[in-house]
């Protein structure tokens, strides 16, 4: 209409009705308001694409209509007669905007090149009645370019290939084509860098051939899943660049891997993707109040000015693939999960969503104690760990002791158990990790040089009991059977004490070693085998003694008897004296008849089985045998004597005398005590012979510890394994 009025005005001017500067007013009927070209309309695209138009004259009707035409002016009323073609699916969006689709009957120029049409918008679709509300606006009908790939991660950085249709052979004929990405609702402009819509230039564009371009998706191409962008290919950049082809590219949020999804307040969380979704931008971040489910984020598509439910967060770009977001103070424990939202920029309603994650704040774990706090480097110790905020589901706690993983069994929120792994000697830190954080307890467990022994018991008559010893560092030692040299495996009463702590130089009897495990065979650094001799105790010189070491007189005066305690100034007692009889002579005070030593306090003090008379005997004797009269045939395995001669207490005791085999001991006594069975047959007949029965064996029955000593020389410093439940060895009566 506007163009027809202009032509009428031209004719009037041409007819001389308006001359010079004189303007003649036209009176009569008021002319309708002129429709202007659309101020904002999708400037080009292929057939079937959707066109968005805005800036039309206000429309009070419920519908709109639109036509595409090759004429440069619009009919004043809706008309679909050639060259006019009705647009498809006209939709009124507001009083001044609408949308419609490009008719599929429109054709391109020869060779499949773009062709210019004009769009006219009406306040309805009634032919001859509906008036124009948006005058002729240029529209470039372009080939439908195909893209590979058709989608990519939010944030840009991907390379897409733009292919012209097969019908086109020279579409991209310019030397420096230009590609831009535009919102699908505004579409491509008629010319490059058109201010409406605001195109986002590709990071780089490369002409591959006359029918193919490649372009790197620019920063800012973001948004939630399936956000669409029009891809606009131009002859060149700048206002002279004309539209050649239009394609479609959709954005998908990249799958990100979070460093943690649960943890303490004010924690920092990294979000990492396999695509370079942060290329070319410095991102902004927000967290959004807890999502409705644990798997759905609640991030707005565009950056939103912080509100009560949307809180600004600190973000640092680590690389194009990774960003770190620090949770703000509003993210409190127990309120999660909060949504983590990364945007292209911190501009309200402009910054596009790049990636999303979730985070829940929770109490971090703490560690308090480990019990027991020490054990063998071979591992296998059951330990109980106490702390707080510990998860209770299987697999929710990972832990290591000194860097070696533990298998954890949760018990409750304050306790879990584990079995120690093998490790080197020394103090080790315990570190645990849960979904809410990590905790470390320095010096939580100490690996000590303790042993594990099997078997851990033998009769006190054993002369070569093989035992398997497991520990650590055995390859470092040189073992020997010779007394007081090199390394040894000892049976120790209590704890090994080095010679520097003993009161008698060169004496092993005062360091609590009672027997030697000989013929050591080292299997590995953690295992050895040796033969324990319990029939021969270690003497004062460190060498095994005969099982019958005879009686001996004590030395040192004065001797003191106070009740059951007997003492002297010199070292007289060893563990081997337990069970042996004591007699005293001269001076004052007496020892009770038949009293035996039941406990050795130290080398100068012992406890007797019965109290004596207080005083100071001149001397005392420690006996080891009692003599009985017995008979036996040659090569016999029993002794006979008067009834009551033998008792069950004699079982396991060694015997000696003419005709008795060395190291023979009593294995049984009959009820009347007249017969004693021997472990070895006699070597000759015994007729009313004197037989000595030991009052105690070389190594008395009781609990001991197997101990590996690095050097048995009393003049050298020595390292010994520590006592533990695994090193306990029981010497049992026969």
């Amino acid at each position: 209409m506007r163009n027809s009025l202009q032509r009428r005005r031209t004719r009037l001017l041409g007819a001389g009705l308006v001359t010079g500067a004189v303007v003649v007013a036209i009176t009569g009927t008021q002319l309708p308001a002129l429709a202007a070209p659309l101020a904002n309309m999708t400037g080009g695209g292929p057939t079937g694409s959707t066109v968005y138009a805005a800036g039309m004259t206000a429309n009070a009707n419920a519908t709109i209509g639109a036509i595409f035409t090759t004429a440069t002016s619009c009919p004043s009323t809706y008309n679909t007669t050639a060259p006019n073609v009705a647009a498809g699916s006209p939709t009124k969006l507001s009083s001044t905007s609408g949308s419609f689709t490009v008719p599929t009957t429109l054709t391109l120029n020869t060779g499949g090149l773009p062709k210019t049409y004009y769009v006219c918008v009406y306040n309805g679709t009634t032919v001859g009645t509906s008036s124009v509300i948006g005058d002729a606006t240029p529209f470039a009908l372009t080939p439908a370019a195909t893209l590979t790939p058709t989608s990519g991660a939010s944030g840009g950085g991907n390379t897409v290939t733009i292919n012209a249709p097969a019908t086109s052979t020279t579409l991209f004929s310019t030397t420096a084509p230009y590609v831009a990405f535009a919102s699908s609702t505004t579409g491509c402009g008629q010319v490059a860098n058109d201010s409406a819509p605001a195109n986002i230039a590709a990071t780089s564009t490369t002409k591959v051939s006359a029918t193919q371009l490649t372009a790197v998706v620019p920063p800012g191409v973001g948004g939630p899943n399936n956000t669409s962008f029009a891809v606009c290919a131009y002859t060149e950049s700048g206002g002279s660049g004309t539209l050649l082809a239009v394609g479609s590219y959709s954005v998908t949020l990249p799958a990100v891997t979070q460093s943690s999804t649960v943890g303490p307040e004010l924690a920092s969380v990294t979000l990492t993707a396999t695509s370079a979704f942060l290329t070319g931008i410095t991102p902004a971040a927000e967290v959004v109040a807890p999502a409705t489910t644990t798997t759905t984020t609640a991030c707005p598509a565009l950056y939103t000015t912080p509100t009560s439910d949307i809180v600004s967060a600190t973000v640092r770009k680590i690389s194009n693939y990774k960003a770190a977001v620090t949770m703000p103070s509003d993210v409190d424990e127990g309120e999660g999960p909060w949504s983590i939202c990364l945007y292209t920029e911190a501009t309200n309603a402009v910054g596009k969503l790049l990636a999303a994650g979730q985070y829940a704040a929770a109490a971090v774990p703490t560690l308090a104690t480990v019990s027991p706090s020490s054990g063998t480097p071979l591992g296998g110790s059951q330990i109980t760990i106490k702390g707080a905020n510990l998860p209770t589901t299987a697999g929710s706690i990972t832990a290591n002791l000194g860097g070696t993983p533990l298998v954890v069994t949760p018990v409750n929120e304050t306790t879990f158990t584990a079995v120690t792994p093998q490790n080197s000697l020394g103090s080790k830190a315990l570190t645990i990790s849960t979904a809410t954080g990590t905790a470390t307890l320095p010096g939580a467990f100490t690996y000590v040089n303790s042993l594990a022994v099997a078997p851990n018991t033998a009769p006190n008559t054993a002369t070569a009991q093989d035992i398997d010893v497991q520990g650590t560092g055995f390859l470092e030692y040189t073992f020997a059977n010779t007394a007081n040299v090199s390394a040894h495996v000892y049976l120790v009463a209590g704890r090994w004490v080095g010679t520097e702590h003993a009161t008698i130089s060169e004496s092993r009897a005062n360091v609590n070693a009672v027997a030697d495990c000989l013929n050591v065979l080292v299997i590995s650094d953690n295992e050895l085998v040796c033969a324990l001799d319990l029939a021969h105790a270690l003497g004062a010189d460190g060498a095994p003694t005969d099982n019958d070491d005879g009686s001996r007189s004590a030395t040192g005066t004065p001797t003191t008897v106070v009740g059951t305690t007997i003492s002297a100034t010199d070292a007289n007692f060893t563990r081997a004296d337990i069970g042996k009889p004591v007699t005293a002579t001269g001076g004052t005070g007496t020892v009770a008849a038949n009293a035996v030593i039941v406990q050795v306090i130290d080398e100068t003090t012992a406890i007797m089985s019965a109290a004596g008379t207080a005083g100071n005997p001149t001397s005392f004797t420690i006996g080891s045998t009692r003599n009985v009269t017995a008979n036996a045939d040659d090569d016999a395995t029993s002794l006979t004597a008067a009834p009551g001669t033998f008792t069950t207490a004699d079982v396991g005791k060694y015997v000696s005398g003419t005709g008795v085999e060395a190291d023979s001991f009593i294995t049984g006594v009959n009820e009347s005590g007249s017969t004693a069975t021997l472990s070895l047959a006699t070597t000759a007949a015994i007729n009313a012979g004197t037989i000595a029965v030991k009052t105690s064996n070389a190594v008395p029955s009781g609990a001991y510890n197997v101990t590996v000593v690095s050097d048995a020389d009393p003049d050298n410093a020595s390292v010994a394994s520590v006592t533990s439940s695994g090193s306990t060895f029981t010497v049992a009566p026969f």
Side-chain angles (χ1 to χ4, degrees):
M1 178 182 291
R2 183 189 62 183
N3 291 333
S4 62
L5 287 174
Q6 287 175 336
R7 287 194 296 272
R8 286 172 58 197
R9 289 167 181 160
T10 301
R11 286 196 297 271
L12 288 172
L13 288 170
L17 293 177
V18 178
T19 61
V22 177
V23 178
V24 179
I26 301 174
T27 61
T29 305
Q30 179 81 33
L31 293 175
L34 300 180
L38 298 168
N40 191 350
M41 186 192 77
T42 302
T47 59
S49 61
T50 300
V51 176
Y52 292 88
M56 61 190 66
T57 303
N59 175 25
N61 292 346
T63 60
I64 64 168
I67 63 171
F68 284 74
T69 181
T70 55
T72 58
S73 61
C74 295
S76 59
T77 59
Y78 187 74
N79 186 338
T80 58
T81 303
N84 308 326
V85 181
S89 305
T91 303
K92 179 181 178 181
L93 300 177
S94 71
S95 64
T96 59
S97 66
S99 67
F100 38 86
T101 59
V102 180
T104 58
T105 55
L106 299 186
T107 59
L108 297 167
N109 286 321
T110 303
L113 297 176
K115 182 177 181 179
T116 299
Y117 285 84
Y118 294 88
V119 175
C120 308
V121 182
Y122 298 84
N123 61 6
T125 56
T126 303
V127 174
T129 301
S130 299
S131 59
V132 65
I133 57 175
D135 207 356
T137 304
F139 179 87
L141 181 67
T142 66
T146 58
L147 268 64
T148 305
T150 58
S151 64
S154 179
N158 292 339
T159 298
V160 296
T161 299
I162 304 169
N163 290 293
T167 56
S168 176
T169 58
T170 59
L171 186 61
F172 307 128
S173 58
T174 59
T175 58
Y178 171 78
V179 173
F181 289 71
S183 167
S184 61
T185 59
T186 57
C188 299
Q190 278 275 314
V191 295
N193 295 332
D194 195 357
S195 59
N199 296 332
I200 308 173
T203 301
S204 64
T205 299
T206 302
K207 177 182 175 181
V208 180
S209 69
T211 58
Q212 188 178 85
L213 304 176
T214 61
V216 177
V217 181
V221 177
N225 282 345
N226 303 318
T227 297
S228 294
F229 287 82
V231 181
C232 317
Y234 296 91
T235 56
E236 59 185 304
S237 61
S240 58
T242 58
L243 189 64
L244 292 174
V246 175
S248 180
Y249 180 84
S250 63
V251 166
T252 56
L253 291 182
V256 294
T257 300
Q258 290 183 214
S259 57
S260 61
T261 57
V262 181
E265 297 176 350
L266 302 176
S268 294
V269 179
T270 60
L271 283 73
T272 307
T274 57
S275 60
F277 70 115
L278 300 175
T279 300
I281 64 169
T282 301
E286 292 180 331
V287 293
V288 179
T292 55
T293 71
T294 58
T295 58
T296 303
T297 59
C299 295
L302 299 175
Y303 185 88
T304 302
T305 301
T307 65
S308 59
D309 293 329
I310 299 178
V311 185
S312 179
T314 302
V315 60
R316 291 181 61 183
K317 176 180 173 180
I318 299 173
S319 71
N320 289 336
Y321 300 84
K322 185 176 184 179
V325 178
T326 301
M327 295 300 104
S329 58
D330 303 70
V331 179
D332 297 323
E333 291 181 5
E335 294 184 355
W338 291 69
S339 295
I340 304 174
C341 315
L342 278 180
Y343 293 94
T344 56
E345 58 182 291
T347 303
N348 187 52
V350 174
K352 298 180 180 67
L353 185 64
L354 292 173
Q358 287 190 332
Y359 185 82
V364 297
T366 61
L367 295 172
T369 62
V370 175
S371 179
S373 59
S374 64
T376 171
L378 297 175
S381 300
Q382 178 83 21
I383 55 175
T384 299
I385 297 90
K386 293 288 187 179
N389 306 320
L390 302 175
T392 58
T393 57
S396 58
I397 302 174
T398 58
N400 71 78
L401 189 60
T404 305
L406 292 176
V407 177
V408 171
T409 301
V411 176
N412 52 46
E413 291 182 352
T414 62
T415 308
F416 68 87
T417 62
V419 175
T420 60
Q422 288 190 9
N423 216 320
S424 59
L425 295 175
S427 178
K428 309 297 179 183
L430 172 65
T431 300
I432 68 168
S433 294
T434 71
T436 60
T438 62
T440 298
L441 184 62
F445 188 86
T446 301
Y447 284 98
V448 295
N449 189 15
S450 59
L451 307 176
V453 179
N456 59 3
T457 185
N460 57 13
T461 56
T463 57
Q465 173 64 58
D466 282 331
I467 60 173
D468 184 271
V469 181
Q470 294 187 339
T472 186
F474 296 154
L475 292 176
E476 300 176 12
Y477 300 156
T478 300
F479 292 90
N481 288 344
T482 305
N484 299 330
V485 298
S486 303
H488 280 253
V489 181
Y490 286 129
L491 192 65
V492 177
R495 182 177 63 87
W496 169 268
V497 179
T499 303
E500 62 272 18
H501 300 296
T503 59
I504 298 180
S505 177
E506 302 295 327
S507 173
R508 312 312 292 174
N510 297 294
V511 293
N512 297 336
V514 297
D516 207 346
C517 200
L518 305 173
N519 302 319
V520 175
L521 174 63
V522 177
I523 305 299
S524 69
D525 197 48
N526 301 117
E527 184 178 15
L528 61 81
V529 175
C530 60
L532 186 61
D533 182 6
L534 299 177
H536 301 86
L538 292 183
D541 60 356
T545 64
D546 187 81
N547 59 57
D548 182 4
D549 55 5
S551 300
R552 71 180 189 276
S553 297
T555 62
T557 57
T559 299
T560 302
V561 174
V562 179
T564 58
T565 301
I566 185 170
S567 60
T569 56
D570 289 349
N572 286 285
F573 305 105
T574 70
R575 289 274 302 183
D577 292 332
I578 296 176
K580 294 181 179 181
V582 181
T583 59
T585 59
T588 61
T590 61
V591 172
N594 300 318
V596 296
I597 295 174
V598 295
Q599 183 180 358
V600 175
I601 302 300
D602 54 39
E603 62 267 24
T604 63
T605 307
I607 305 299
M608 301 178 293
S609 61
T613 303
N616 302 101
T618 303
S619 63
F620 65 93
T621 302
I622 301 173
S624 62
T625 60
R626 62 182 176 86
N627 294 327
V628 299
T629 301
N631 303 287
D633 294 333
D634 183 18
D635 199 27
T637 55
S638 62
L639 296 172
T640 60
T645 300
F646 303 105
T647 70
T648 55
D650 294 327
V651 175
K653 299 297 191 298
Y654 285 91
V655 294
S656 60
T658 302
V660 177
E661 181 72 74
D663 291 333
S664 182
F665 57 86
I666 297 173
T667 61
V669 174
N670 68 354
E671 185 175 354
S672 66
S674 62
T675 302
T677 306
L678 301 178
S679 62
L680 300 173
T682 59
T683 59
I686 301 173
N687 296 310
T690 300
I691 304 298
V693 180
K694 280 184 63 69
T695 54
S696 65
N697 280 7
V699 179
S701 300
Y704 300 87
N705 284 290
V706 174
T707 303
V708 175
V709 178
S710 63
D711 192 342
D713 188 332
D715 291 331
N716 295 335
S718 179
V719 176
S721 58
V722 300
T723 61
S724 69
S725 59
S727 65
T728 300
F729 191 93
T730 301
V731 176
F734 181 78

